[in-house]
Amino acid sequence: MNVPTEVSLQALARLIQTNQLDPDRWVTFPEHGFRHYVLWQHPETGARIALLEVEPGGGFPVRHSHASNQFMYCISGDYEYTHAHVRLKSGSFYMNPKDHPHGPTLAHTRSILLEMYDGLNAYETPVFHDDEFMQGFLNSA
């Protein structure tokens, strides 16, 4: 049995200080009032962990679903899944199962969320993005 050494485990580890994020790695969606920063993405499965920062009045404009399970943890703010009347406030955790329609969403205050997917985000380009934009978004990790 091949057991990883401490050195090889250290090479896989990643530490990111959120107060030192690279400003060029944020992907901004100005027409929807939010920006997105990939903290980690698995190169084979597409699983990812990202920060989502949403300004008041911003959010996702339509109902949609994902090709994997989506997990949201609200670090700060007041973020609503308007169709379900579910509001995430500081300390809230919410899970949307794979293929479950949800949204639209709306930030009532500036909201910072930790967004996680256990596989690919989408089967195809959402109706509110074009293919060129999505290619940049998916390659932002």
Side-chain angles (χ1 to χ4, degrees):
M1 182 162 125
N2 186 6
V3 177
T5 64
E6 186 173 333
V7 174
S8 67
L9 288 176
Q10 186 68 11
L12 298 174
R14 178 179 285 185
L15 174 64
I16 298 172
Q17 300 292 339
T18 56
N19 62 349
Q20 298 174 358
L21 296 177
D22 179 353
D24 294 333
R25 292 203 41 217
W26 282 99
V27 177
T28 303
F29 301 76
E31 65 280 7
H32 303 301
F34 69 88
R35 63 187 192 150
H36 182 268
Y37 191 102
V38 175
L39 298 168
W40 173 85
Q41 181 170 337
H42 191 279
E44 294 164 8
T45 67
R48 70 170 39 193
I49 301 171
L51 286 174
L52 183 63
E53 184 179 277
V54 191
E55 294 304 319
F60 289 85
V62 297
R63 283 182 65 74
H64 60 281
S65 60
H66 297 286
S68 64
N69 296 306
Q70 176 192 37
F71 309 91
M72 300 290 281
Y73 178 78
C74 184
I75 296 168
S76 64
D78 183 355
Y79 187 75
E80 182 178 9
Y81 286 82
T82 59
H83 187 265
H85 306 289
V86 171
R87 287 176 87 151
L88 281 65
K89 296 185 179 186
S90 182
S92 297
F93 174 81
Y94 186 58
M95 185 267 202
N96 282 310
K98 176 182 176 180
D99 298 322
H100 177 259
H102 58 280
T105 64
L106 173 68
H108 294 279
T109 64
R110 182 175 179 267
S111 300
I112 299 176
L113 303 123
L114 187 63
E115 177 182 55
M116 298 157 275
Y117 295 94
D118 60 6
L120 288 175
N121 176 298
Y123 294 111
E124 58 190 32
T125 302
V127 296
F128 50 93
H129 298 311
D130 62 30
D131 288 336
E132 181 181 347
F133 180 85
M134 279 306 291
Q135 189 62 40
F137 174 75
L138 295 173
N139 292 328
S140 65

